[in-house]
Amino acid sequence: MNVKLRVLSAGALFFLGQAVYAQNTGRDTLDRETQIEVVTLSGYRPTTEKTTTSAVSKVDEKTIENRPNSNVLNTVQGQLAGVNIATGSGQPGAKPTVIIRGVGTLNGNTDPLYVIDGFPSNSDSFRTLNSNDIASMEVLKDASAISEYGARGANGVIVIKTKSGRYNQGLKFRYSANFLVSSLQDNKYNYADSRQLLTLEKRYGIGRGFGLSDDEINNYSINTDWRKVFFQTAIGQSHDFSVTSGGENINSYTSVGYLDQEGVLRSTGLKRFSLRNNINGKSNNNRFNYSINSGIAYSKNNLATNLGTGGVNQNYVLGAMSAVPYVSPSEYQNYQQLYDLYDSDGTLLYTPLMLMDKLRNFETSLGEARVDLATQASYKISDDFTAMVRTSGQFLNQSQLQAEYPHSFNALLFLGNNQFGGSETNSVSRQFLFNNLYQLRYNKKFLEKHTIGVAANGEYNFSQLDFNSIRRNGLDPKTYVPGAGTGYVSDTSTDDVYVPVTSNYMLRYNMISYFGSLDYDYDKTFGLSGTIRTDGTSRFDTGRQWGTFWSVGARVNFESMLGNSNISLLKLRGSYGTVGNQRIVDGSVFDGINPPLFYDVYGVGNNVYGPNRGYSIQFGYPELRWETTKIADIGVDFDFFKRLSGSLEVYNKKTEDQFIDVPVSSLVGTSSIRQNSTADVTNKGIELNLKYDIIKGTNFQFSVRGNGAYNNQKVSGIPGLGEIKSGNYNTANGGKISEFFVYRYAGVNQGNGNLLFYDVNGGLTESPTDNDRVLTGKNFLPEYQGGFGFDISYKGLYASTTFTYVANIYRFDFDYGGLMDPTSLGSFNASTDLLNAWTPTNTNTTVPSLTAANIGLDGNSDRFIVDASYLRLRNVQLGYNLPQSLLQGTFMNSLAVYVQGENLVTFSKWRGWDPESNRAGDQYQYPTPRIFTLGLDVKF
């Protein structure tokens, strides 16, 4: 074996900037690079843009780097055709929902598989991944691309490749800094001010306004904007420093990053430190190649808890949106005074003061340490045979502290007869993921124009979660320090109030896989590909643990036949195949493992009917198996005149053997059993991606880009009655997943001010029944989505924009519904729209009477279902690259300064802060902010 390697110490390998530069270096010219067709990995095998049969969307580092998003997935919103990324929270580092080509499962998990440097990673922890370390992000969508991932590929695959050095490039440094200012986006709710709200209360006969004269109301001086109390203008900064280097046989990329980002909701924020070192090497004869990619990161996330439907004394956003403006923050002095105020009033009027107290006397923080290691080595046994081994691992340690201080309103509220209040919960989870892949690949060119590639693979995946938690009730304020382990009160013999509450468990699953692929190419004009994979998983019972998935694909490259220099790419491709979904329930990769849903699980618990112990039971379904998705895809890729490039895709994705909860008699101890069924979900759609270089001059370049996707969803095969009802939602044969299933709101009865609804026959009624509910054909998943923008540069000046849009998407606006609820008057704020409520002298109105007898029925109607379609100016960037003439004689090779804005303008019928959401209804949620950035990028 003719392999020559330079031996370096561990320290030299980690700080390879100078060690690599010490080797002999050469220069790769641009001409040489452009003559080489770029070879990339599609799944587990090498391919090129012209020879792949797969449907792939890609963004590179120019799109990703230096954007002010602490989670990299938010950066690529609207830039990948057929990929819907919805941020459900403005919390820095929050995980968005990613849906590729529609939701295909009724109850299973919808997350795509994330592969980082070849390693199937944890999709829940992107807050610790530095986006400036990413070289590219690819989304694999069709069977030809994802069948190699078998049981994990049903929801699509996102492949992330981190940056690396290049051979013979020399030593290069780069430093970038960003300074951020974040602010709350505007909403279009008509909040009542103090005088308007007091007037409403007077009309309704409740609250502080009841009993005040008109003069007293008109002269009322307190008018608090509670949004300014609970939200803030947030600042942040990020700093990244990287070193790349490359000699003849080894190259490296090393980076250090720091991020400190406040949240616009007070008490929230994210701090992150990251370190990455990627090494690539080869032997002199290029037969042996290896890579070692390692990353270490630590983040601390200060979180806001109990958002959404959390208690009024817990949810900061509720205080910001619904607190009465005639209460002043100065009315709060301390927790004891507040408790006395609440106790004497007996209402929820002082909710904002309770939440002010929580801001001071409560904290939730999540510390996360993450270590990633991805190694790969390959050896060319002969000119045709290559053996490769890949070993990767990830360790994730999360420590969460939640503390309710003993001197707090909430501690006093729940104190009862106990001497000490407050509580502290410490939770620690440790995740370890391991992947080992062995591959033998054969690639042979014969008869000059024929090329065949065959690969055989064996893969093992192991995942384990260890969790432990301890909650301490009762804290001594004299000695308590959050997280320090002090101030805990010992239990007494009289009761068990101060006994620590503990929780511990361990979850683990394994998967072993065997798969192979076959590729054939004729003179880069015609190609065929095929894949077959067998997965065995510990998620299912013996006899059901193995599943087989496959795909076939083909392409025809017409540019080779036409021989026209103006057509550099014109390819027709198609594929068909199957993939699986083994994640039985939604949630993390560990949900649904214990208790296993294929076993009958018996337990012992408290008997609610008496003092004795009772039994609990969870029936399993022994024949539980994968959901199987069949995907057909036809696409055209093109590049004309080296100016107009893009792709057009048509797909049909059908997921069978759906996991559903089948009802059973409650006499057996449970109401339903999750099992596979005859139900299926079909997503059909079309995707278009375009880029046109309008001007390609030496000093002036101007290009436009855009993508769009349409997805039509249909459910069928649900057994029994053909529908799955859940309150205001219904999934029925012939319809969509979780369609709104509600009464149709008809308006106001002009005779008495009550609400009117349509009955099932189209008549008007004030008292609808369940039989009057209808399927609306609407749900919270968009039918249309995409983005567009332009890039322009003139000499050193450059600018870019990105717009994103979604259409035909609907959600409950519970925030507006709360502001229109007259029964909340006296404790919470309201909309000024209620000033136009029906009265005997104001009958020509669309607002029901404040005393409407059936006001509670509107929550089960479509009155507050709103079109949440939007067009958003997602990002604008303006920058300037200093000319080289000004940098001569300095240490810098390039210097760029730029400003950018994120989430600048949104056009939508949605009245709230943010139409973008991953929920069917929004109520008191953390809105996404508007962000302005000043940045600096230096290369030397």
Side-chain angles (χ1 to χ4, degrees):
M1 185 172 74
N2 183 20
V3 178
K4 294 182 181 179
L5 297 173
R6 297 175 185 247
V7 179
L8 302 174
S9 68
L13 282 172
F14 199 74
F15 298 102
L16 266 166
Q18 297 181 10
V20 174
Y21 189 55
Q23 299 188 45
N24 295 326
T25 62
R27 297 185 63 186
D28 286 337
T29 66
L30 180 63
D31 291 340
R32 181 183 176 190
E33 290 176 2
T34 55
Q35 291 172 3
I36 299 174
E37 190 172 9
V38 178
V39 178
T40 60
L41 284 177
S42 176
Y44 293 84
R45 57 195 184 206
T47 188
T48 67
E49 181 184 13
K50 289 191 175 183
T51 60
T52 183
T53 62
S54 302
V56 180
S57 295
K58 179 179 179 179
V59 293
D60 60 19
E61 60 189 89
K62 293 181 180 179
T63 301
I64 298 171
E65 61 189 13
N66 291 326
R67 287 279 296 275
N69 296 301
S70 51
N71 190 312
V72 65
L73 296 177
N74 294 331
T75 299
V76 297
Q77 285 177 308
Q79 303 195 59
L80 297 163
V83 182
N84 178 245
I85 301 175
T87 303
S89 172
Q91 168 74 48
K95 173 192 171 187
T97 297
V98 180
I99 303 296
I100 300 175
R101 290 185 169 179
V103 172
T105 179
L106 298 177
N107 290 299
N109 182 266
T110 61
D111 285 337
L113 175 68
Y114 296 90
V115 179
I116 302 177
D117 290 333
F119 174 54
S121 182
N122 189 336
S123 63
D124 295 326
S125 57
F126 277 96
R127 66 175 69 87
T128 49
L129 184 63
N130 187 346
S131 59
N132 285 327
D133 286 335
I134 294 177
S136 65
M137 182 183 294
E138 292 184 330
V139 179
L140 314 183
K141 297 180 285 189
D142 70 335
S144 182
I146 63 180
S147 62
E148 284 188 306
Y149 294 96
R152 300 169 297 170
N155 300 318
V157 179
I158 296 181
V159 179
I160 297 173
K161 181 174 176 56
T162 59
K163 294 178 180 178
S164 63
R166 292 166 50 198
Y167 294 112
N168 302 314
Q169 77 164 45
L171 186 64
K172 296 182 179 180
F173 299 90
R174 182 176 184 180
Y175 169 73
S176 62
N178 291 281
F179 301 92
L180 321 175
V181 178
S182 304
S183 61
L184 194 64
Q185 296 188 67
D186 299 324
N187 66 55
K188 292 174 282 188
Y189 297 132
N190 299 319
Y191 291 106
D193 61 25
S194 290
R195 296 170 184 174
Q196 293 167 327
L197 182 60
L198 291 169
T199 300
L200 282 169
E201 291 182 352
K202 183 177 182 178
R203 292 180 183 179
Y204 194 63
I206 197 172
R208 189 172 293 186
F210 182 55
L212 292 180
S213 67
D214 290 342
D215 286 341
E216 288 174 316
I217 291 175
N218 291 331
N219 292 319
Y220 203 93
S221 59
I222 298 172
N223 189 38
T224 305
D225 186 350
W226 287 104
R227 288 169 292 181
K228 295 180 179 179
V229 175
F230 294 104
F231 288 100
Q232 64 181 349
T233 298
I235 60 174
Q237 58 180 310
S238 67
H239 302 271
D240 292 277
F241 179 74
S242 64
V243 182
T244 56
S245 56
E248 293 180 358
N249 296 327
I250 194 170
N251 66 62
S252 77
Y253 168 83
T254 303
S255 73
V256 179
Y258 174 74
L259 170 73
D260 183 358
Q261 186 172 355
E262 291 180 342
V264 292
L265 186 60
R266 294 185 189 274
S267 80
T268 65
L270 173 69
K271 293 183 178 181
R272 179 181 68 210
F273 172 80
S274 62
L275 175 65
R276 175 163 289 277
N277 180 241
N278 292 348
I279 301 167
N280 297 288
K282 62 181 181 178
S283 60
N284 286 334
N285 60 8
N286 290 325
R287 286 191 175 274
F288 179 70
N289 291 267
Y290 67 92
S291 65
I292 305 172
N293 292 357
S294 57
I296 301 173
Y298 177 79
S299 67
K300 183 177 180 180
N301 223 171
N302 293 321
L303 307 170
T305 61
N306 300 102
L307 301 181
T309 57
V312 296
N313 59 328
Q314 301 288 345
N315 188 342
Y316 299 133
V317 182
L318 182 151
M321 292 191 66
S322 296
V324 294
Y326 55 70
V327 169
S328 170
S330 63
E331 295 185 50
Y332 171 79
Q333 298 175 17
N334 57 61
Y335 73 101
Q336 182 66 59
Q337 170 264 344
L338 174 60
Y339 180 79
D340 295 338
L341 196 63
Y342 164 75
D343 192 45
S344 62
D345 179 77
T347 71
L348 299 176
L349 177 66
Y350 296 106
T351 290
L353 306 185
M354 302 175 195
L355 296 170
M356 286 179 61
D357 183 85
K358 184 184 176 184
L359 278 174
R360 301 183 183 186
N361 298 308
F362 183 91
E363 69 173 280
T364 299
S365 62
L366 176 66
E368 180 176 280
R370 172 172 171 164
V371 179
D372 290 276
L373 181 64
T375 65
Q376 179 174 305
S378 64
Y379 182 72
K380 240 183 167 181
I381 302 171
S382 67
D383 291 340
D384 306 323
F385 276 100
T386 301
M388 187 265 285
V389 60
R390 179 188 297 158
T391 302
S392 306
Q394 178 188 100
F395 176 75
L396 189 67
N397 188 91
Q398 294 180 329
S399 301
Q400 182 165 342
L401 167 69
Q402 186 171 98
E404 183 177 271
Y405 299 170
H407 280 170
S408 66
F409 169 80
N410 284 328
L412 197 58
L413 182 65
F414 299 106
L415 183 63
N417 296 323
N418 302 310
Q419 181 181 358
F420 298 99
S423 64
E424 180 181 282
T425 303
N426 293 277
S427 303
V428 177
S429 70
R430 293 172 296 276
Q431 298 181 32
F432 177 65
L433 286 75
F434 175 79
N435 172 268
N436 198 197
L437 172 74
Y438 296 92
Q439 182 184 87
L440 185 63
R441 187 169 62 244
Y442 173 78
N443 194 78
K444 180 69 174 179
K445 186 172 184 178
F446 57 96
L447 299 179
E448 296 185 354
K449 296 184 178 181
H450 301 269
T451 303
I452 189 171
V454 181
N457 305 266
E459 186 178 36
Y460 172 67
N461 286 277
F462 170 85
S463 301
Q464 180 169 314
L465 167 67
D466 295 280
F467 177 86
N468 60 78
S469 174
I470 182 168
R471 177 185 173 92
R472 299 274 188 169
N473 294 308
L475 306 172
D476 188 342
K478 296 179 180 179
T479 57
Y480 176 68
V481 178
T486 62
Y488 300 147
V489 178
S490 300
D491 187 40
T492 63
S493 58
T494 57
D495 55 50
D496 294 326
V497 173
Y498 305 125
V499 173
V501 180
T502 63
S503 174
N504 298 274
Y505 57 82
M506 186 268 286
L507 302 173
R508 181 176 65 190
Y509 76 92
N510 307 278
M511 189 168 74
I512 189 167
S513 309
Y514 306 98
F515 57 103
S517 62
L518 173 65
D519 296 280
Y520 168 76
D521 172 70
Y522 174 75
D523 198 27
K524 294 188 177 180
T525 302
F526 173 76
L528 295 171
S529 65
T531 299
I532 187 168
R533 174 171 178 137
T534 297
D535 287 324
T537 177
S538 59
R539 287 184 182 269
F540 303 115
D541 198 7
T542 304
R544 297 282 178 177
Q545 293 178 323
W546 291 90
T548 299
F549 311 95
W550 56 271
S551 74
V552 292
R555 62 172 172 81
V556 179
N557 292 73
F558 293 101
E559 76 277 4
S560 301
M561 305 177 188
L562 298 174
N564 188 331
S565 60
N566 290 323
I567 303 177
S568 54
L569 178 64
L570 182 58
K571 178 177 65 176
L572 175 67
R573 53 178 168 76
S575 66
Y576 181 78
T578 63
V579 285
N581 182 15
Q582 63 171 338
R583 294 173 64 175
I584 308 164
V585 298
D586 201 5
S588 78
V589 294
F590 296 99
D591 286 324
I593 294 177
N594 190 25
L597 297 185
F598 54 83
Y599 277 152
D600 295 339
V601 179
Y602 301 87
V604 178
N606 293 325
N607 190 341
V608 297
Y609 300 106
N612 299 319
R613 301 284 279 174
Y615 288 101
S616 63
I617 185 171
Q618 175 186 294
F619 284 110
Y621 183 65
E623 297 184 0
L624 199 66
R625 61 191 184 279
W626 335 81
E627 289 181 341
T628 300
T629 300
K630 299 176 180 178
I631 307 176
D633 183 278
I634 297 176
V636 177
D637 302 323
F638 54 88
D639 191 341
F640 301 144
F641 308 105
K642 296 184 179 179
R643 287 181 180 269
L644 177 62
S645 60
S647 62
L648 177 65
E649 308 265 354
V650 179
Y651 64 87
N652 187 320
K653 185 175 75 169
K654 183 177 183 179
T655 304
E656 302 174 338
D657 303 324
Q658 290 280 335
F659 303 129
I660 66 172
D661 296 322
V662 177
V664 296
S665 172
S666 298
L667 295 176
V668 301
T670 187
S671 59
S672 63
I673 299 175
R674 180 154 296 188
Q675 62 186 61
N676 298 97
S677 69
T678 57
D680 61 72
V681 177
T682 299
N683 288 276
K684 297 180 180 180
I686 184 170
E687 299 167 357
L688 177 65
N689 189 70
L690 291 172
K691 181 182 179 183
Y692 183 57
D693 297 321
I694 299 174
I695 301 174
K696 295 180 65 175
T698 303
N699 295 322
F700 185 36
Q701 297 88 36
F702 179 43
S703 62
V704 293
R705 50 186 157 76
N707 71 82
Y710 165 75
N711 183 77
N712 179 264
Q713 184 184 78
K714 183 178 179 181
V715 178
S716 61
I718 297 176
L721 299 176
E723 59 183 3
I724 303 172
K725 294 181 180 179
S726 178
N728 287 334
Y729 309 94
N730 191 349
T731 301
N733 290 334
K736 303 176 181 179
I737 294 176
S738 297
E739 281 189 37
F740 296 114
F741 184 57
V742 291
Y743 312 134
R744 291 174 295 164
Y745 180 64
V748 179
N749 187 332
Q750 304 298 324
N752 58 16
N754 286 338
L755 287 72
L756 287 176
F757 305 90
Y758 294 106
D759 63 24
V760 68
N761 298 314
L764 295 176
T765 178
E766 292 184 2
S767 305
T769 67
D770 277 350
N771 292 330
D772 296 317
R773 290 178 181 264
V774 296
L775 287 166
T776 60
K778 303 172 181 177
N779 68 0
F780 66 100
L781 301 170
E783 287 189 358
Y784 301 91
Q785 63 191 44
F788 58 90
F790 68 81
D791 303 281
I792 186 171
S793 64
Y794 176 70
K795 294 185 177 180
L797 293 169
Y798 63 90
S800 67
T801 65
T802 298
F803 290 83
T804 61
Y805 65 88
V806 298
N808 277 20
I809 176 174
Y810 295 85
R811 302 207 318 276
F812 272 114
D813 190 350
F814 292 123
D815 287 330
Y816 183 55
L819 293 171
M820 293 294 290
D821 182 6
T823 64
S824 295
L825 290 172
S827 296
F828 299 101
N829 202 358
S831 170
T832 57
D833 296 351
L834 287 181
L835 292 170
N836 190 36
W838 183 96
T839 65
T841 58
N842 182 38
T843 60
N844 187 22
T845 178
T846 59
V847 181
S849 168
L850 297 181
T851 57
N854 59 350
I855 190 68
L857 293 176
D858 63 358
N860 296 323
S861 76
D862 61 0
R863 183 184 179 194
F864 297 114
I865 295 178
V866 180
D867 183 353
S869 305
Y870 68 84
L871 170 64
R872 168 170 287 172
L873 179 53
R874 176 73 62 182
N875 179 264
V876 173
Q877 186 174 104
L878 302 173
Y880 181 63
N881 287 303
L882 269 69
Q884 290 296 315
S885 59
L886 295 180
L887 300 178
Q888 289 182 0
T890 70
F891 67 94
M892 295 177 288
N893 296 323
S894 71
L895 172 62
V897 292
Y898 53 87
V899 293
Q900 62 179 319
E902 199 93 358
N903 301 328
L904 294 182
V905 182
T906 302
F907 305 95
S908 177
K909 295 179 181 178
W910 186 263
R911 301 180 66 172
W913 275 312
D914 193 358
E916 179 188 320
S917 175
N918 51 13
R919 293 172 291 270
D922 265 17
Q923 184 174 25
Y924 307 134
Q925 296 289 347
Y926 196 147
T928 56
R930 181 182 292 116
I931 306 174
F932 296 94
T933 306
L934 172 64
L936 173 74
D937 195 349
V938 185
K939 297 178 182 178
F940 52 98

